[in-house]
Amino acid sequence: QGKACLSSFCTQDQKHTGKRGCCKLTIGKMLGGSGSLNVAVWVRGHAKDFDDWEGAGAQGWNSTSVLPFFKRSESSIEFGGSALRGSDGPLRISSHPASHPITQGFLDACHENGLPSRHDFNGETQEGCSAAQSSIYRGSRQ
């Protein structure tokens, strides 16, 4: 497995990237592609990043404009039905249980070092630590 399951590509220089050279992109080379590597973790992105994109010229990409699309895509009993989360979309979103001792140890270490716990890191405040959310339902990726 290991490197046999990965492929890497380099991007071309772009004027808006400060001519930093190659940006290495690694993708999964297996059934399910990169989703097999990232366990279908569901992270919307930080609201400030969307607002910054619009500020840089990507009109209509602010956090308020993209929120309805995220809400329409989500279905979650755990998180849905709020002003920020969807409840009847095609992707079923749930928290991964923090049942493994290493996962729980990591979360405990985060708390001991002052990081706040976040039940919903795709909600109002994203900074902090929690178990991952994923788009997996009954053992299958959505």
Side-chain angles (χ1 to χ4, degrees), residues 16 48-62 65:
H16 295 295
K48 184 180 180 318
D49 291 337
F50 289 104
D51 295 338
D52 289 349
W53 288 349
E54 183 171 68
Q59 190 174 14
W61 277 90
N62 63 66
S65 295

Coordinates of all heavy atoms in Angstrom, one line a residue, residues 16 48-62 65:
H16 N -1.2 34.9 -9.5 CA -1.7 35.3 -8.2 C -1.2 34.4 -7.0 O -1.7 34.5 -5.9 CB -3.3 35.2 -8.2 CG -3.8 36.2 -9.2 ND1 -3.8 37.6 -8.9 CD2 -4.5 36.1 -10.4 CE1 -4.3 38.2 -9.9 NE2 -4.8 37.3 -10.8
K48 N -14.6 32.9 7.1 CA -13.7 34.1 6.8 C -13.0 33.8 5.4 O -12.8 34.7 4.7 CB -12.7 34.3 7.9 CG -11.9 35.5 7.6 CD -10.9 35.8 8.7 CE -10.0 37.0 8.5 NZ -9.5 37.2 7.1
D49 N -12.7 32.6 5.2 CA -12.1 32.3 3.9 C -13.0 32.6 2.7 O -12.6 33.2 1.7 CB -11.7 30.8 3.8 CG -10.5 30.4 4.7 OD1 -9.8 31.3 5.1 OD2 -10.4 29.3 5.1
F50 N -14.3 32.3 2.8 CA -15.2 32.6 1.8 C -15.4 34.1 1.6 O -15.4 34.7 0.5 CB -16.6 32.0 2.1 CG -16.6 30.5 1.9 CD1 -16.6 29.7 3.0 CD2 -16.6 29.9 0.6 CE1 -16.7 28.3 2.8 CE2 -16.7 28.6 0.5 CZ -16.7 27.7 1.6
D51 N -15.4 34.8 2.8 CA -15.5 36.3 2.7 C -14.3 36.9 2.1 O -14.4 37.9 1.3 CB -15.8 36.8 4.1 CG -17.1 36.4 4.7 OD1 -18.0 36.1 3.9 OD2 -17.2 36.4 6.0
D52 N -13.1 36.3 2.4 CA -11.9 36.8 1.8 C -11.9 36.6 0.3 O -11.3 37.4 -0.5 CB -10.7 36.1 2.5 CG -10.4 36.6 3.9 OD1 -11.0 37.6 4.3 OD2 -9.6 36.0 4.6
W53 N -12.4 35.4 -0.2 CA -12.5 35.2 -1.6 C -13.3 36.2 -2.3 O -12.9 36.7 -3.4 CB -13.1 33.8 -1.9 CG -12.2 32.6 -1.5 CD1 -10.9 32.6 -1.2 CD2 -12.6 31.3 -1.5 NE1 -10.4 31.4 -0.9 CE2 -11.5 30.5 -1.1 CE3 -13.8 30.6 -1.7 CZ2 -11.5 29.1 -1.0 CZ3 -13.8 29.2 -1.6 CH2 -12.7 28.5 -1.2
E54 N -14.4 36.6 -1.7 CA -15.2 37.6 -2.4 C -14.5 38.9 -2.3 O -14.5 39.7 -3.3 CB -16.6 37.8 -1.7 CG -17.4 38.8 -2.4 CD -18.8 38.9 -2.0 OE1 -19.1 39.3 -0.8 OE2 -19.7 38.5 -2.8
G55 N -13.8 39.2 -1.2 CA -13.0 40.5 -1.2 C -11.9 40.5 -2.2 O -11.5 41.6 -2.6
A56 N -11.4 39.3 -2.6 CA -10.4 39.3 -3.7 C -11.0 39.3 -5.1 O -10.2 39.1 -6.1 CB -9.5 38.0 -3.4
G57 N -12.3 39.3 -5.2 CA -12.9 39.4 -6.5 C -13.9 38.3 -6.9 O -14.5 38.4 -8.0
A58 N -14.0 37.3 -6.1 CA -14.9 36.2 -6.4 C -16.3 36.5 -6.0 O -16.8 36.1 -4.9 CB -14.4 34.9 -5.8
Q59 N -17.0 37.3 -6.8 CA -18.3 37.9 -6.4 C -19.3 36.7 -6.2 O -19.4 35.8 -7.0 CB -18.8 38.8 -7.6 CG -20.0 39.5 -7.2 CD -20.4 40.5 -8.3 OE1 -19.9 40.5 -9.4 NE2 -21.3 41.4 -7.9
G60 N -20.0 36.8 -5.1 CA -21.0 35.8 -4.7 C -20.5 34.7 -3.9 O -21.2 33.7 -3.6
W61 N -19.2 34.7 -3.5 CA -18.6 33.6 -2.8 C -18.4 33.9 -1.3 O -17.6 33.3 -0.6 CB -17.2 33.2 -3.4 CG -17.4 32.3 -4.6 CD1 -17.6 32.6 -5.9 CD2 -17.5 30.9 -4.5 NE1 -17.8 31.5 -6.6 CE2 -17.7 30.4 -5.8 CE3 -17.4 29.9 -3.5 CZ2 -17.8 29.1 -6.1 CZ3 -17.6 28.6 -3.8 CH2 -17.8 28.2 -5.1
N62 N -19.1 34.9 -0.8 CA -19.0 35.2 0.6 C -19.8 34.1 1.4 O -20.6 33.3 0.9 CB -19.6 36.6 1.0 CG -21.0 36.7 0.6 OD1 -21.9 36.1 1.3 ND2 -21.4 37.5 -0.4
S65 N -23.6 33.9 1.1 CA -24.1 33.5 -0.2 C -23.9 32.0 -0.4 O -24.8 31.3 -1.0 CB -23.3 34.2 -1.3 OG -23.6 35.6 -1.3

